[in-house]
Amino acid sequence: MIDNTLYYGDNLDILRNPDYFPDECVDLIYLDPPFNSSRNYNVLFADQSGKESEAQITAFEDTWEWGPTAQQTYEDIVRDAPYSVSKATEALYTLIQPTPMLAYLVMMTARLVELHRVLKPTGSLYLHCDPTASHYLKIILDSIFGADKFVNEIIWKRSQPKSHASQIFSRSHDVLLFYKKSDDATFNTQYMPHDPEYVEKFYRYIEEDSGRRYRVSDLTNPNKNRPNLTYEFPPDSGTVRVWRWTKERMQKGWEDGIVILPPNGKIVVQKRYLDEMEGTPVTDVWDDIEHLHGSNKETLGYPTQKPVALLERIIEASSNPGDVVLDPFCGCGTAVAAAQKLGRRWRGIDITHLSTALLKYRLEDMFDIRAGRDYKVVGEPTTVDAARELATDKHNDGRYQFQFWALSLVRAKPLGGQTGGRSGKRGSDKGIDGTIAFNDGDQKKPERVLIQVKSGKVKSGDIRDLVGTVEREKAALGVFITLEPPSKDMTTEALTAGTFTSKIYDRDYRKIQILTIEDLLDGAQIDMPSQSQTAQTFKRAERINPDTDTQKPLL
């Protein structure tokens, strides 16, 4: 049995680890990778008045450059990948040359090869992309899965046409490329409610006693050479026809009221009730699921967040309860949340601690499930030594990934973001890495906790600087999170900084608090008034009510 697991790290490295992903261990894969749009996607936080704040973090760079890593990956694919994949990649190299687009496609090819390997024979893959790259990605997928394993190109109309488009037809859709591993792939037909005009036209009869709508359909057989189905019905009516049903089934339908003589009719027909029809089968054009607007309750402020309804349709169509759903670019975790809601097992991978933190908050808010207790987290530090390794990882923006991870331990909002990279920078308030907001009686003016994170050497002057920052910003509390143990002088500086008195709780809190990473890993938290008041650090995901919502238990 595979436990629900969240992985931090490069999905290619994680997928290639057989201890994490042995062959054929996943039932359904959904991936929504960066589209190579040459944009930077930021998480924008809002202050308590609802306005955009200056806190902005680059969640990911949707820009790819041809460089040593792309070149090496290309060479690895040509040398080691299956023949069809190798040749397709060489052809793309010839066609579009070493460009950002080719760098993107090479990155995707290496990962799609691994995703095909981990998919079960009954499994399917949905790749979410936009029309700028979908034609290239289809070539790659054909070479990996086989052209005969292509199922659908699904068009999702994600928004209304933009009125300002003057040089082109307005863009309003994304593409989902749907592939199956084999002809035995799971598929459950999905239905939409009938169109009201369709109902009025075709289900125009209404039973007087029950009020049920129904239509009638022909029971005569188009094949006239069926002696065994040729008989008189109703009995003694003189009406002899070649029927679709046997005489015994026809008689049973007559007795049950399903076979009737229509008004002014002489030939029996079948009564088909509207409420027994599942609906209109979903086609490959999805225009009934709107993208998330800023006012939507689902919206968490994460770039490229997709509606849960979109993932629910995919998961219900191509998996069954208890199956394993994988999202290797999970971001804020819509696929994971939908899988949890529908009773599937799941695995999510992301390369930033900001995303994994947001996903953990989302699962806790929606389902009251927590990392370590209800699902595994792999790749995040669990010891001081591992935290130190993260902080010194120069190849993965270690200093800033450490900062984001440390802030997540106290559920603080990161402050500041750097355009052009996954690393952070100081915000406009010098010396502040993160904040927590809480209400203490004044609903219009929440109090703030200022957080500073240090992964290197620390000294008493750091605490004095934090004291000055708290005073300058008129904050309630200041918290110093440190990887290295504080000195005695630092502790003394913190103790002499005074207290904050809560109006609601009528008690004092140390104005400056020092928490080590070791403390936090042992479960320590900031001593502060409860955040359960109306102010919140992050927008919370809406709670799933198991009594009224469609959350299904794991099998």
Side-chain angles (χ1 to χ4, degrees):
M1 181 181 296
I2 296 179
D3 294 323
N4 294 339
T5 308
L6 174 62
Y7 298 88
Y8 163 75
D10 186 326
N11 54 21
L12 184 58
D13 295 335
I14 291 168
L15 288 167
R16 284 176 171 171
N17 187 330
D19 292 334
Y20 298 153
F21 286 93
D23 293 350
E24 299 183 351
C25 63
V26 172
D27 297 283
L28 170 63
I29 298 169
Y30 168 83
L31 63 159
D32 181 17
F35 285 174
N36 198 42
S37 62
S38 298
R39 292 178 57 192
N40 295 322
Y41 286 95
N42 301 309
V43 177
L44 297 175
F45 301 100
D47 64 23
Q48 298 307 311
S49 67
K51 298 179 181 177
E52 269 186 13
S53 73
E54 294 176 345
Q56 178 175 308
I57 297 293
T58 300
F60 60 84
E61 251 185 359
D62 193 5
T63 305
W64 306 96
E65 299 294 338
W66 189 269
T69 300
Q71 180 67 38
Q72 184 61 55
T73 304
Y74 168 76
E75 292 173 1
D76 291 344
I77 292 170
V78 171
R79 184 185 65 247
D80 301 328
Y83 180 79
S84 58
V85 181
S86 173
K87 289 303 177 184
T89 308
E90 285 183 315
L92 288 171
Y93 187 102
T94 301
L95 176 65
I96 57 181
Q97 298 296 303
T99 58
M101 176 60 79
L102 184 63
Y104 170 71
L105 295 172
V106 165
M107 178 278 291
M108 287 301 303
T109 301
R111 286 155 177 81
L112 288 167
V113 167
E114 292 302 318
L115 292 172
H116 180 266
R117 177 186 64 81
V118 305
L119 196 60
K120 292 180 182 178
T122 53
S124 298
L125 177 142
Y126 290 75
L127 196 164
H128 195 136
C129 55
D130 75 357
T132 62
S134 61
H135 50 304
Y136 295 128
L137 290 167
K138 189 173 185 299
I139 292 171
I140 293 169
L141 287 165
D142 281 351
S143 71
I144 295 171
F145 281 77
D148 62 322
K149 299 303 184 290
F150 168 73
V151 182
N152 284 113
E153 179 183 72
I154 298 165
I155 301 301
W156 174 44
K157 185 181 178 183
R158 54 175 167 73
S159 63
Q160 296 301 318
K162 306 296 188 296
S163 59
H164 59 261
S166 58
Q167 301 286 327
I168 62 171
F169 294 108
S170 183
R171 299 187 179 104
S172 63
H173 81 277
D174 286 351
V175 173
L176 290 118
L177 299 175
F178 171 23
Y179 281 76
K180 59 186 178 181
K181 183 74 173 279
S182 75
D183 292 338
D184 296 325
T186 299
F187 188 77
N188 307 306
T189 302
Q190 300 298 293
Y191 296 91
M192 296 170 57
H194 288 301
D195 182 89
E197 292 185 7
Y198 172 85
V199 171
E200 288 293 331
K201 182 176 180 179
F202 293 99
Y203 289 87
R204 61 182 183 272
Y205 301 110
I206 302 176
E207 284 186 344
E208 291 185 6
D209 55 344
S210 67
R212 297 174 73 188
R213 280 187 175 271
Y214 68 93
R215 64 180 297 182
V216 295
S217 59
D218 188 9
L219 281 170
T220 60
N221 198 319
N223 184 352
K224 302 306 179 183
N225 188 25
R226 297 295 301 274
N228 61 320
L229 294 176
T230 303
Y231 52 87
E232 179 187 34
F233 202 90
D236 303 323
S237 65
T239 302
V240 178
R241 293 287 188 276
V242 182
W243 304 101
R244 294 178 183 269
W245 294 356
T246 65
K247 190 172 184 179
E248 292 74 18
R249 182 181 176 187
M250 190 78 86
Q251 184 62 37
K252 180 68 165 55
W254 179 263
E255 294 169 359
D256 293 341
I258 302 301
V259 175
I260 62 171
L261 275 171
N264 303 319
K266 296 182 179 180
I267 306 296
V268 294
V269 293
Q270 180 188 4
K271 182 188 287 188
R272 302 171 69 93
Y273 289 104
L274 175 64
D275 56 22
E276 292 178 349
M277 301 297 107
E278 295 188 82
T280 302
V282 173
T283 70
D284 60 1
V285 177
W286 298 357
D287 59 1
D288 60 319
I289 300 175
E290 273 201 278
H291 77 294
L292 297 181
H293 304 279
S295 59
N296 192 289
K297 290 182 180 180
E298 280 186 43
T299 304
L300 301 176
Y302 191 84
T304 72
Q305 180 184 346
K306 300 302 184 292
V308 171
L310 182 72
L311 274 301
E312 286 183 334
R313 176 170 292 173
I314 292 168
I315 291 170
E316 290 192 311
S318 292
S319 71
N320 295 313
D323 284 352
V324 178
V325 178
L326 166 64
D327 184 350
F329 294 88
C330 67
C332 69
T334 301
V336 168
Q340 177 71 31
K341 181 179 177 182
L342 295 174
R344 273 65 167 175
R345 306 186 193 282
W346 53 262
R347 289 186 162 196
I349 309 171
D350 205 274
I351 198 170
T352 72
H353 280 295
L354 178 65
S355 293
T356 56
L358 292 174
L359 176 51
K360 287 189 287 186
Y361 303 154
R362 185 176 192 175
L363 292 173
E364 182 176 349
D365 293 338
M366 290 182 72
F367 307 105
D368 193 27
I369 60 174
R370 300 185 182 184
R373 185 190 72 184
D374 303 298
Y375 60 92
K376 293 180 181 178
V377 178
V378 174
E380 286 191 336
T382 57
T383 66
V384 173
D385 287 342
R388 187 171 290 110
E389 184 177 340
L390 171 63
T392 56
D393 182 3
K394 296 180 180 179
H395 299 291
N396 193 30
D397 302 315
R399 174 186 171 193
Y400 296 105
Q401 291 302 319
F402 171 84
Q403 180 177 301
F404 297 153
W405 168 74
L407 291 170
S408 77
L409 298 179
V410 294
R411 198 160 178 159
K413 174 178 68 180
L415 185 67
Q418 180 167 310
T419 301
R422 288 190 298 112
S423 59
K425 69 174 183 179
R426 296 293 184 196
S428 59
D429 296 333
K430 185 178 179 182
I432 306 171
D433 295 320
T435 63
I436 299 174
F438 67 93
N439 283 329
D440 195 51
D442 188 346
Q443 299 289 329
K444 295 183 179 179
K445 188 179 180 182
E447 300 286 354
R448 286 197 301 165
V449 181
L450 306 184
I451 316 290
Q452 189 176 105
V453 179
K454 288 283 189 180
S455 58
K457 293 181 179 180
V458 291
K459 57 187 184 303
S460 58
D462 295 328
I463 302 300
R464 289 193 293 273
D465 290 344
L466 180 58
V467 172
T469 301
V470 170
E471 291 176 351
R472 183 187 75 233
E473 299 300 320
K474 297 181 175 56
L477 304 171
V479 177
F480 191 83
I481 297 176
T482 173
L483 179 59
E484 304 300 333
S487 66
K488 184 177 180 181
D489 289 343
M490 292 174 65
T491 303
T492 300
E493 290 284 353
L495 290 173
T496 58
T499 59
F500 166 78
T501 302
S502 169
K503 299 174 185 177
I504 292 180
Y505 293 95
D506 192 27
R507 59 157 287 196
D508 293 337
Y509 298 85
R510 288 287 178 190
K511 198 168 190 69
I512 302 297
Q513 300 174 31
I514 301 175
L515 287 171
T516 67
I517 292 298
E518 185 175 12
D519 294 334
L520 294 171
L521 290 174
D522 286 340
Q525 284 293 302
I526 300 170
D527 185 26
M528 60 174 287
S530 172
Q531 286 178 260
S532 63
Q533 308 303 320
T534 57
Q536 294 174 359
T537 304
F538 295 93
K539 181 176 179 182
R540 293 185 182 274
E542 201 171 18
R543 175 59 60 89
I544 295 295
N545 185 336
D547 295 326
T548 58
D549 296 321
T550 58
Q551 184 180 5
K552 298 177 182 178
L554 292 174
L555 298 183

